[in-house]
Amino acid sequence: DIGVTGVQTCALPISQRALHRNPCAAIRFLSAVCIRWGFVSSIQTGIVHLSCCRSDKSSMSHPLFSPFRLRSVSFANRIGVSPMCQYSSQDGFANDWHLVHLGCRAQGGAGLVTLEASAVLPEGRISSADLGIWKDAHIPELERIARFIHSQGVRAGIQLAHAGRKGGMTPPFHGERVLLPEEGGWQPVAPSALAFAANYAVPRALDEAGIAE
């Protein structure tokens, strides 16, 4: 099976080359993949076909590829790479894996590349392998990634995150279970003491003091 992450990671690195050579064919291919795996409907992609593929010569003038400005921030086009959890961090730190993963996305020609869910607190992580931004020591590696993304003419974004009741788990490819205390596990916090699912930990309900913290 191929999931959303697989489509994003395999398609976007070739998007710039493919779109410049034959943008209409590239859009038809990506649309077919999305329909095949149920990401969008044929009606949604049909609208793109009709508006973009009237002629190959004019397809690059489609609004999808036009510059976009949001207040003081400008984007080369309206294509954005959404955040994709890599579960490849230790103690929240970014590393070479993240640089290569996100750098390749930037080279693909998107207007925006967004870093994965980055926890604002250690207990706000989904798993022990999540990216983090809860301490100053995390900044240099994140800055290195952002600097490369910007060098490609692309804007860098980040998804600030707190997992809430979904926190304190192993990475999905390790069986999706609650982390044990000896593995560095923690009790998640949430608005109420209700577990997300049967295999998740029961969170501690936040009081006013916990919310203020």
Side-chain angles (χ1 to χ4, degrees), residues 111-148:
L112 169 69
V113 170
T114 310
L115 278 71
E116 66 194 83
S118 303
V120 295
L121 291 171
E123 60 270 23
R125 293 174 292 172
I126 303 170
S127 79
S128 55
D130 283 22
L131 201 61
I133 191 171
W134 67 80
K135 55 186 176 182
D136 290 346
H138 289 145
I139 295 175
E141 286 298 322
L142 295 173
E143 182 182 27
R144 178 170 74 122
I145 293 169
R147 188 165 56 247
F148 181 83

Side-chain angles (χ1 to χ4, degrees), residues 11-192:
L12 284 172
I14 65 168
S15 61
Q16 189 175 41
R17 181 182 302 173
L19 288 171
H20 280 252
R21 288 181 177 176
N22 193 336
C24 195
I27 289 174
R28 283 196 296 267
F29 168 75
L30 292 175
S31 298
V33 171
C34 289
I35 293 172
R36 170 64 181 83
W37 296 103
F39 303 147
V40 295
S41 70
S42 58
I43 296 176
Q44 289 171 314
T45 55
I47 294 172
V48 176
H49 290 169
L50 290 173
S51 59
C52 182
C53 298
R54 290 178 183 141
S55 70
D56 287 346
K57 293 182 180 180
S58 63
S59 58
M60 288 304 291
S61 64
H62 188 274
L64 179 66
F65 307 110
S66 64
F68 175 68
R69 189 175 185 85
L70 185 63
R71 293 189 178 180
S72 61
V73 182
S74 58
F75 302 84
N77 54 58
R78 298 162 189 257
I79 301 172
V81 180
S82 54
M84 296 174 274
C85 287
Q86 299 298 295
Y87 302 107
S88 299
S89 299
Q90 290 186 350
D91 192 29
F93 284 92
N95 52 51
D96 288 348
W97 172 273
H98 300 91
L99 175 66
V100 174
H101 163 66
L102 295 161
C104 287
R105 309 290 86 76
Q107 288 182 312
L112 169 69
V113 170
T114 310
L115 278 71
E116 66 194 83
S118 303
V120 295
L121 291 171
E123 60 270 23
R125 293 174 292 172
I126 303 170
S127 79
S128 55
D130 283 22
L131 201 61
I133 191 171
W134 67 80
K135 55 186 176 182
D136 290 346
H138 289 145
I139 295 175
E141 286 298 322
L142 295 173
E143 182 182 27
R144 178 170 74 122
I145 293 169
R147 188 165 56 247
F148 181 83
I149 292 174
H150 291 162
S151 75
Q152 304 303 301
V154 180
R155 293 294 185 178
I158 187 169
Q159 181 185 19
L160 300 178
H162 192 296
R165 68 181 75 248
K166 296 178 71 175
M169 302 292 288
T170 59
F173 39 80
H174 289 163
E176 197 177 30
R177 60 172 176 80
V178 175
L179 281 169
L180 302 175
E182 56 268 28
E183 297 174 310
W186 63 91
Q187 184 182 22
V189 297
S192 60

